[in-house]
Structure formats: C-alpha cells, structure tokens
C-alpha cells in the first residue's frame, strides 16, 4: 500500500528522521515491504511432488515466483528479487510527499536527502531538452559545424569535450587499476562499446539507432530529408568504427606506457591535445596508460578519410546518446523508475546507500548497530571458509612434493580480504571526503534534471581523472581504493558479490545484507539455530566461497597474494595436476563448458567450503567421501573415484534434517530463471537448474542425505572435485 499521510503521535514534530523511523515501523507492521513478506518460508518455494533425486532444482524451487509488483521491477530470480525489493523501498520513499519542515532543515543529512529527492523527482517528471547538452559541450568547444556552420572543427578537442561529461567518443577512456600493479590506477584507451548500434548482425538495433539519431537531428532544427540522410551517414560511420575492433573477444593487455610514448606511435590521434583539454593544469605527458593499439592504429586511417561534418556530428550526438536522452520518455513507469534509480546508484552510490540503511533500520543508531553486528558475523563466516580451504590446500595431492607452490597458494588465501560496507563511510557525516563534497556541490535543487545530470557526470569524471594522477610512478604510497578513488563504490542496487582479482579481495554489497540471506532475528539454539546456520552458510557462505575459489581458477592462479600478475608462479607439474581434476568440469553434464568452466568450478568447489563450514558449526560428523582423483579425459564416463552408495549406517534424524535444510538453502539461491544475455555477449554462467543439479550431483553427502540411487540425475557416477 502507498502511504501518503504520516500522522505524528504525541505532538511529535514532522522531521525527516522521525519520518524514516515511522516508515520502517510501518514496514514491519505490514509484514514486509508494502505487504510483501521480507522472508518467505523456504517450504513455500518447494514442490514436494517432485523427486529430489531426479531434479533438485524443481524440488526446491518448483513453487517459487516473484509477486507481480516485483516482476514489474525486474524480478525474475532470487537475486533480482532482492534488487527489486531494494528498488521498491527506495521508489516508495522518494515518491512520498515531503513534509514542509524537511525543506527548512539545515542539517547535512537532511540536505543530502533533499538532493536525492530533487534529482530523482526531476528525472521522473522533467522533459529533457537536447539544447542543454549542446550548450554544455559548446562551452568547452565553441565551433561545431552542425550547430553554427563552423568551417573548421578541432576533433581531438571535441572528442575530449564529450568525455569530460563521461560519454564515449572515438575511444573509451577508463580509469582502472593497473593490471600489473593493483595499487595504481591508470588510464585505459579501448574501443567503444557500440551499445546502441548493437552487434554486427543486429539489423533491428541499427534501424532503431538510426531512427533515434534522426529524431535528435530533427530536434536540432534539421529538415526531415536532411536529418534522415545525415542519420544514415552517422550510422555508416559508426559501423566503420565497429569494424576496427579486433576480431578476438579477448583484449591482449600490453604493459603500461607513458602518454608521450603512445602519442609518438599514433601521431594522427593527437593524444597530447586530447589529454591537455581533459586534465588542464594537472596534465603531464608522463601519464601511465594501457591502450588497445590495434584498434587505435586502424582508427587513424578512418579519421584521416572522414568527412568533417560526419565526424563532428557523430561526436556531438554521443553526448545525448550516452545519457539516453528521450529513450525513457515513452517507456513504462517501472522502466522510468529503473532508469532514475540507476542514475542515482551510479552517480551517488554512497548517498543512496545511506538512505537505504535508514529506511531498513529506521535511524542511524539502529543502522550502526546492524553494521557492527553484521560485520563481526560476516568476518567470522569469511574466516571459517578460509580455514576450510586452508585445510584442503594442505591436504591436496596437487602440491605433492611441491612445498614452494603450496606456500604461495596458502599465502594468497591468507592475504585474501573481505570488503564490507563500512560504517564510517556510510553513516558518519564527518567522514565525507573532499571528492564526495565536490560531487554533492554540483546538485542544485533549482536546476533542471539535464543540468543536474551533466554537473554530476562532469564532477565524477574529474574525480576519476584525479585518481589516475595520484600515483604516476610505482611504488604508490597508499593502498588502492583510497583518496579520490572513493567514488568507485557499490550502491544498494548492486546485488552481486565480486572477487577483485587485482586486490585479492571479495566485495560484498549492501544490497544483499537483508532477508532472506541475512535474518537479523535468528536465534542460536534449537531448530531455529539450525535453520539460521543453514540459510547463512547455504546463502552468503556459498556466495563468499564461490568468489574465494575465483582466486584459484584458471585466471586466478596467474595473480599473487597482492593482486599482482605472477604468471609462471605455478610450475607445470602443479598446473597439470590441477588440469586433470578440472577436466571433469568439461564433461557431458556441463553445457557450454569451455565458457562456463571457471564458474562451474567456483560453484561446486565453493559449496564444498560452505558445506564443510556448516558441518563444523553444526557439529556434524566429518565427511567419509573419498579424496578426488584426476580424471584421464573430460569425456570419460567412469567416475574418477567410485562414488559411495548411501551409507549402511543411518544418519541421525536431526543431522539428516540439518543437511537437507543446507542443500535446500543453497538451491534456493537459484530459484527462478537467468536473464537472457545481451546481444553479442557470451554466457559465462550455466543455467540456474544446472547450477543446482550439477553442483549437488558432485556431493556424495547429498545422495546419502536424500537416499538417491546410483545413476539417478542427482547421483551420477562421475563426481567432480579439485580440492
């Protein structure tokens, strides 16, 4: 239900913090978020008519569905449902009427709340104007043939002007960690993504993109015939650029070089002029950067032959296209909510996260208590998973007679960190960095949405560039992610856990830290304690362990404990032993296995860590399953080592119930269906039902718990296990 009127009991003043507290109380009284339970019973999703031994995904998730109002916000599986719940909570709050007293409040948090309200409200209600974007770019580069019939166009300055506002130009300019030294952030020059143009064979996207460009040109005052012809030429020019991309999907990263060195290799691109406009007084030709030189070398030929009107007009329209100008005006209300929230999530993630915490918990004190308690619990969980993995690394035959490699692996595991939303970054006003103050200073409530968007984007680009200027030469003084890099954080709409390869760290976003993954009412005794441990280890425990295993998959073994590239660190013997065991994940049970092997390894081996941690917390007897042996070939049908039949010694009923609850908790991470990959993208994950059935099919303990007969889908003869 939508609540428009907050009536204050006992003469309380109508202030923003009181309003947030009452809002949270109403959520609890309603049993969840606007009538939607925060945590449904696991049994509600299960379909007991299905056999757990024939298709456990159907058994655990056969009755799962997302409510209609959440499907409208993008819910199609458990993870997207959590994101939809976060979105719904924010949308209802941001669209509720604001009390007049809140307008007059002068405190920092109230002012910041007003900025969020103002930005979101203007995004939802304002009709955008193309001329605001044109005026902004003309302040940086006055002469554009399409706008004022200029006879000369300085394309490097025009290319830099659109990037000042965050848009792509003739190349993508990113600021990311140096792939050879994680503590240093540097520039990357890569080919554009061509998202609106689409893939080469996507005729529909090309048609829609051409029509979109034509409409922008009509808004600039061109006649219909000329606008149509010019739009067709612009699409043809972008198609030429797309053809310059290397045919391979994988970019070969070169060692960083200085801007001066790259500019000497590519004189026609005038890179020195480009960076001078971007960086102003901070410019230096000694900037370290990594470039897709194959694309850039080909680009020189296209630019030299390009019509100045086509080149300048294409660059000019990249700015409104970057902000998807007019693309959301005729969309559904849910799509507009998504767009406006995503803009806040990208531009002001910390402020949106602060609001999310206050909505969930009512006030800063309760949110602080939650963060303190949750940090302690999750760090203990993370440490227990690392302990389980360390035991496996100590016992594995992969490092037999290879103590040096084993030591390197253990050092990497012990150095791995868990990055959690920090209390001091989210809730303490005095912790605001100069970077955040600069961002917030760009939000003027009186400005139209377009002006707000451009101001924020330009300020964010400036912060990105500053991050690349903090350390021009190695070694850097501070740890990666400090100083001006604070802008790069996850907001409440992020619901994916990430392994940061170059930091050797796992990042857990705020958007996941609520029910059903995290139940703040869990007890520690009896069945409730068992259910809580099963939910925690089968949910967040599995997710953290999954990411932990990415540090030791085919990509991860090339990086050391500090996140530095360390190719050749593992000798051939260890890699061969690893590969023999990993070969099982290329077997017939796995579809598209060559693309999904790293994820399949992380799923199965990660759940093993979570299961062993659960078994230890639950004080269950240790596993009697045999250690894995190498598989001779991925296509071999016999098992690498015979899988045990269900034990003749019965498992105690309480232990069996606990194991069942754990396996159901894991499976229900993948209720629903995966979103279809975008056009041209490669699917890196197996389907949801495969991620459940193939993973649990590798667990003899699962077959024993559910008394599955050998040869059934959930008790296959071949069981994959590396560690």
């Amino acid at each position: 239900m939508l609540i428009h009127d907050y009536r204050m009991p006992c003469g309380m003043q109508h202030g923003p913090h009181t309003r947030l507290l009452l809002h949270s109380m109403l959520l609890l009284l309603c049993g969840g978020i606007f009538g939607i339970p925060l945590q449904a019973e696991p049994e509600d999703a299960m379909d007991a008519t299905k056999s757990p031994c024939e298709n456990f995904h159907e058994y655990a998730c056969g009755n799962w569905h997302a409510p209609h109002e959440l499907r409208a916000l993008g819910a199609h599986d458990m993870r997207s449902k959590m994101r939809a719940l976060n979105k719904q909570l924010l949308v209802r709050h941001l669209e509720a009427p604001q009390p007049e007293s809140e307008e007059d409040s002068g405190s920092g948090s109230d002012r910041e709340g007003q900025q969020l309200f103002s930005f979101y409200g203007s995004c939802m209600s304002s009709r955008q104007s193309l001329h605001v974007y044109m005026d902004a770019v003309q302040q940086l580069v006055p002469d554009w043939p399409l706008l004022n019939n200029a006879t000369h166009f300085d394309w490097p300055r025009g290319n830099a002007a659109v990037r000042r506002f965050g848009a792509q130009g003739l190349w993508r300019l990113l600021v990311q960690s140096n792939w050879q030294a994680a503590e240093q952030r540097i520039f990357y020059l890569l080919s554009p993504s061509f998202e609106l143009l689409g893939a080469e064979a996507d005729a529909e996207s090309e048609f829609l993109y051409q029509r979109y460009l034509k409409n922008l040109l009509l808004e600039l005052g061109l006649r219909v015939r000329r606008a149509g012809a010019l739009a067709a030429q612009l699409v043809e020019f972008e198609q030429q650029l797309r053809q310059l991309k290397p045919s391979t999907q994988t970019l070969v990263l070169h060692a960083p070089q200085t801007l001066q060195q790259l500019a000497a290799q590519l004189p026609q691109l005038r890179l020195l002029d480009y960076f001078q406009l971007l960086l102003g007084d901070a410019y230096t030709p000694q900037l370290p950067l990594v470039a897709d030189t194959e694309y850039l070398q080909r680009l020189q030929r296209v630019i030299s032959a390009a019509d100045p009107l086509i080149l300048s007009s294409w660059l000019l329209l990249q700015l409104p296209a970057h902000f998807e100008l007019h693309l959301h005006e005729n969309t559904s209300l849910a799509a507009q909510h998504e767009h406006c929230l995503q803009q806040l999530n990208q531009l002001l993630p910390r402020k949106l996260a602060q609001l999310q915490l206050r909505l969930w918990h009512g006030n800063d004190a309760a949110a602080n208590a939650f963060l303190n308690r949750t940090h302690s619990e999750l760090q203990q969980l993370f440490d227990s998973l690392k302990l389980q993995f360390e035991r496996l690394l100590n016992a594995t035959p992969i490092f037999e007679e290879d103590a040096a490699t084993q030591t390197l692996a253990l050092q990497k595991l012990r150095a791995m960190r868990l990055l959690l939303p920090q209390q001091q970054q989210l809730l303490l006003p005095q912790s605001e960095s100069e970077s955040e103050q600069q961002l917030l200073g760009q939000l003027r409530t009186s400005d139209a949405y377009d002006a707000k968007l451009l101001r924020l984007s330009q300020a964010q680009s400036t912060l990105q560039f500053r991050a690349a200027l903090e350390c021009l030469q190695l070694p850097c003084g501070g740890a990666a992610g400090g100083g001006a890099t604070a802008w790069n954080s996850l907001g409440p709409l992020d619901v994916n856990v990430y392994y940061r390869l170059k930091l050797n760290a796992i990042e857990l976003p705020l958007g996941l830290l609520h029910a059903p993954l995290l139940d703040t009412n869990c007890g520690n005794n009896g069945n409730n304690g068992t259910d809580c441990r099963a939910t925690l280890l089968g949910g967040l425990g599995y997710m953290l362990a999954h990411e932990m295993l990415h540090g030791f998959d085919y990509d991860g073994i090339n990086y050391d404990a500090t996140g530095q590239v360390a190719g050749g660190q593992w000798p051939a013997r260890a890699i061969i032993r690893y590969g023999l065991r990993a070969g099982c994940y290329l077997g017939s049970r796995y579809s598209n296995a060559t693309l999904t092997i790293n994820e399949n390894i992380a799923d199965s081996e990660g759940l093993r860590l979570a299961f062993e941690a659960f078994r230890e917390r639950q004080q269950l007897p240790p596993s009697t399953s045999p250690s894995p042996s190498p598989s001779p070939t991925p296509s071999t049908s016999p098992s690498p080592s015979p899988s045990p039949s269900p034990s003749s010694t019965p498992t105690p009923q309480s232990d069996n119930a606990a194991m069942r609850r754990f396996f159901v908790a894991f499976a229900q991470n993948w209720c629903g269906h995966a979103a279809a990959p975008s056009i041209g993208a490669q699917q890196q994950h197996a389907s949801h039902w495969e991620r459940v059935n193939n993973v649990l099919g590798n667990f003899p303990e699962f077959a024993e718990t559910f008394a599955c007969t050998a040869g059934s889908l959930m008790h296959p003869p071949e069981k994959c296990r590396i560690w």
Side-chain angles (χ1 to χ4, degrees):
M1 59 182 175
L2 179 59
I3 302 170
H4 289 289
D5 184 22
Y6 296 88
R7 289 183 167 83
M8 302 295 112
C10 306
M12 293 171 63
Q13 293 299 309
H14 212 137
H17 294 296
T18 303
R19 181 167 173 258
L20 282 168
L21 178 58
L22 288 176
H23 193 179
S24 300
M25 291 169 61
L26 285 165
L27 294 182
L28 295 175
L29 289 172
C30 294
I33 296 180
F34 305 98
I36 299 172
L38 291 181
Q39 183 172 13
E41 290 297 323
E43 291 78 10
D44 293 344
M46 296 173 64
D47 184 355
T49 66
K50 302 295 183 181
S51 167
C53 296
E54 292 303 323
N55 188 327
F56 196 72
H57 184 263
E58 285 191 6
Y59 173 80
C61 299
N63 283 322
W64 183 90
H65 72 283
H68 170 75
E69 54 269 41
L70 295 183
R71 292 200 303 274
L73 292 171
H76 54 82
D77 61 7
M78 283 294 289
R79 198 76 62 90
S80 59
K81 180 182 176 182
M82 295 190 73
R83 186 175 188 270
L85 283 168
N86 294 343
K87 286 195 291 185
Q88 187 180 60
L89 184 65
L90 291 166
V91 166
R92 294 294 178 89
H93 178 74
L94 291 170
E95 292 191 346
Q98 301 176 59
E100 291 182 4
S101 60
E102 197 167 320
E103 297 279 358
D104 301 330
S105 177
S107 70
S109 61
D110 298 341
R111 185 189 70 252
E112 294 153 9
Q114 279 297 303
Q115 291 166 331
L116 292 177
F117 270 106
S118 174
F119 184 91
Y120 178 84
S122 61
C123 176
M124 289 294 296
S125 62
S126 297
R127 181 168 180 83
Q128 294 180 267
S129 171
L130 177 60
H131 293 283
V132 175
Y133 297 84
M134 300 299 98
D135 292 344
V137 80
Q138 276 192 292
Q139 291 180 13
L140 298 177
V141 178
D143 294 328
W144 296 82
L146 188 64
L147 298 180
N148 53 17
N149 297 317
T151 57
H152 173 73
F153 176 66
D154 190 346
W155 73 262
R157 292 180 61 81
N159 195 34
V162 297
R163 181 58 184 88
R164 283 280 294 272
F165 296 101
Q168 298 182 42
L170 292 163
W171 51 75
R172 263 185 306 160
L173 180 68
L174 306 177
V175 177
Q176 295 180 344
S177 295
N178 183 346
W179 67 279
Q180 289 188 332
E183 72 272 18
Q184 183 186 40
R185 300 181 74 85
I186 63 174
F187 288 106
Y188 285 73
L189 271 69
L190 309 174
S191 62
S193 60
F194 307 113
E195 291 179 4
L196 292 180
L197 180 65
E200 191 164 347
D202 186 6
E204 181 180 3
S205 291
E206 291 180 359
F207 169 77
L208 294 175
Y209 182 45
Q210 182 172 326
R211 187 175 68 178
Y212 173 64
L213 294 177
K214 178 182 176 181
N215 288 335
L216 293 179
L217 293 169
L218 288 172
E219 190 173 346
L220 286 176
L222 274 67
R223 304 295 292 269
V224 174
R225 187 182 300 274
R226 187 186 174 204
L230 183 54
Q233 290 174 302
L234 295 179
V235 169
E236 183 180 354
F237 175 73
E238 190 163 337
Q239 289 171 335
Q240 286 182 300
L241 296 180
R242 186 177 60 189
Q243 292 172 356
L244 303 181
K245 295 179 66 174
S247 56
T248 177
Q249 291 288 334
T250 304
L251 173 68
V252 177
L253 293 178
H254 302 285
Q257 55 187 316
T258 66
L259 169 61
Q260 193 166 31
Q261 291 170 330
L262 186 63
Q265 299 172 32
L266 305 164
Q268 296 180 52
L269 297 187
R270 295 173 55 193
L271 293 174
L272 299 180
D273 294 340
Y274 173 81
F275 277 96
Q276 278 182 331
L277 180 63
L278 281 183
L279 304 179
D281 295 339
Y283 163 80
T284 169
Q286 300 307 311
L287 285 175
L289 47 81
V290 171
D292 182 352
T293 52
E294 184 177 353
Y295 168 80
L296 294 175
Q297 286 168 351
R298 295 173 178 175
L299 178 63
Q300 291 186 119
R301 298 192 297 269
V302 172
I303 290 177
S304 62
D307 183 319
L309 174 64
I310 303 300
L311 175 58
S312 62
S313 299
W314 183 84
L315 278 172
L316 184 66
L317 295 185
Q318 291 310 294
L319 183 59
H322 169 72
F323 293 109
E324 300 179 352
L325 180 71
H326 300 324
L327 284 179
H328 300 274
E329 289 179 353
N330 297 317
T331 58
S332 67
L333 185 61
Q336 288 180 300
H337 289 155
E338 169 71 24
H339 172 69
C340 295
L341 280 178
Q342 195 58 49
Q343 293 283 17
L344 279 174
N345 199 60
Q346 291 174 355
L347 294 171
L348 294 170
R350 179 179 178 271
K351 294 305 172 189
L352 200 63
Q354 287 176 335
L355 176 60
Q356 174 92 11
L357 274 172
R358 289 169 180 143
L359 288 175
W360 275 117
H361 302 287
N363 54 54
D364 285 355
N368 276 324
F370 165 78
L371 287 178
N372 286 333
R373 180 176 64 254
T374 301
H375 283 196
S376 175
E377 292 174 354
L378 291 178
Q379 188 61 53
Q380 290 178 19
L381 172 63
F382 185 64
D383 291 341
S384 68
L385 294 170
K386 289 173 69 173
L387 176 61
Q388 297 301 330
F389 199 9
E390 183 165 336
R391 290 170 178 167
L392 295 179
L393 291 178
N394 280 322
T396 180
I398 290 177
F399 301 131
E400 188 175 330
E401 298 180 3
D402 190 1
T405 309
Q406 184 177 53
T407 298
L408 290 173
L410 289 169
Q411 287 174 345
K412 180 172 184 178
L413 175 64
R414 291 165 183 165
M416 192 177 290
R417 296 175 293 140
L418 177 61
L419 305 179
L420 294 165
Q422 294 298 311
Q423 172 189 354
Q424 63 269 24
Q425 293 176 1
L426 289 176
L427 294 172
L428 300 183
Q430 63 269 29
S431 68
E432 273 190 14
S433 65
E434 179 185 348
S435 303
E436 288 180 306
Q437 292 173 3
Q438 182 175 344
L439 271 177
L440 290 169
Q442 306 306 312
L443 279 179
R444 302 173 185 171
T445 56
S446 59
D447 283 342
Y449 170 66
D450 295 315
K452 290 186 177 79
L453 191 59
L454 288 168
R455 288 178 184 276
L456 272 177
S457 299
Q458 188 171 14
Q460 189 179 72
S461 292
T462 300
L463 298 180
Q464 293 173 359
F465 302 154
R466 186 185 301 171
L469 296 168
E470 286 182 336
C471 174
L472 296 179
Q473 292 184 336
L474 293 170
C476 295
T485 63
W487 52 266
N488 188 20
S489 59
L490 298 177
L493 300 190
D494 295 292
V495 291
N496 287 314
V497 190
Y498 298 94
Y499 175 64
R500 302 300 186 188
L501 196 66
K502 299 167 189 174
L503 297 176
N504 190 29
I506 296 171
E507 189 168 15
L508 186 62
L510 179 67
L512 286 177
L513 300 187
H514 59 81
L517 291 178
L518 200 61
D519 188 350
T520 56
N521 297 316
C522 265
N524 296 314
N525 301 310
N527 292 332
N528 187 39
T530 296
D531 287 347
C532 289
R533 287 187 286 273
T535 300
L536 181 65
L537 269 298
L540 284 174
Y542 152 71
M543 294 178 191
L544 293 175
H546 172 104
E547 299 305 325
M548 190 178 293
L549 264 296
H550 277 313
F552 297 86
D553 62 18
Y554 277 111
D555 292 328
I557 61 176
N558 293 306
Y559 290 78
D560 65 14
T562 62
Q564 312 300 320
V565 176
Q569 188 173 232
W570 282 32
R573 178 172 56 183
I575 292 176
I576 291 172
R577 288 173 174 172
Y578 178 90
L580 286 173
R581 286 160 175 77
C584 178
Y585 290 100
L586 295 171
S588 58
R589 281 197 291 141
Y590 294 91
S591 60
N592 207 19
T594 55
L595 286 178
T596 62
I597 184 170
N598 276 345
E599 296 298 331
N600 295 336
I601 289 172
D603 274 342
S604 192
E605 307 290 334
L607 187 64
R608 169 60 58 185
L609 300 186
F611 178 72
E612 296 299 340
F614 174 71
R615 194 203 305 266
E616 187 168 284
R617 285 196 181 193
Q618 198 67 19
Q619 298 181 343
L620 299 177
S623 173
T624 57
S625 58
S627 300
S629 302
S631 178
T633 63
S635 60
T636 304
S637 56
S639 171
S641 55
S643 300
S645 298
S647 173
S648 57
T649 303
T651 303
Q653 186 174 358
S654 60
D655 293 352
N656 188 281
M659 304 256 268
R660 283 173 172 260
R661 184 66 195 93
F662 173 84
F663 290 128
V664 168
F666 158 71
Q668 289 184 344
N669 288 304
W670 302 115
C671 287
H673 60 86
S678 57
I679 296 174
Q682 292 181 320
Q683 182 58 273
Q684 300 295 324
H685 297 86
S687 64
H688 285 6
W689 76 266
E690 283 185 285
R691 297 186 78 166
V692 171
N693 293 345
N694 282 343
V695 167
L696 295 180
N698 290 327
F699 278 67
E701 299 89 344
F702 173 87
E704 179 179 352
T705 297
F706 287 91
C708 298
T709 58
S712 62
L713 178 69
M714 300 305 303
H715 191 5
E718 183 179 46
K719 295 190 176 349
C720 301
R721 185 171 172 186
I722 297 175
W723 304 107

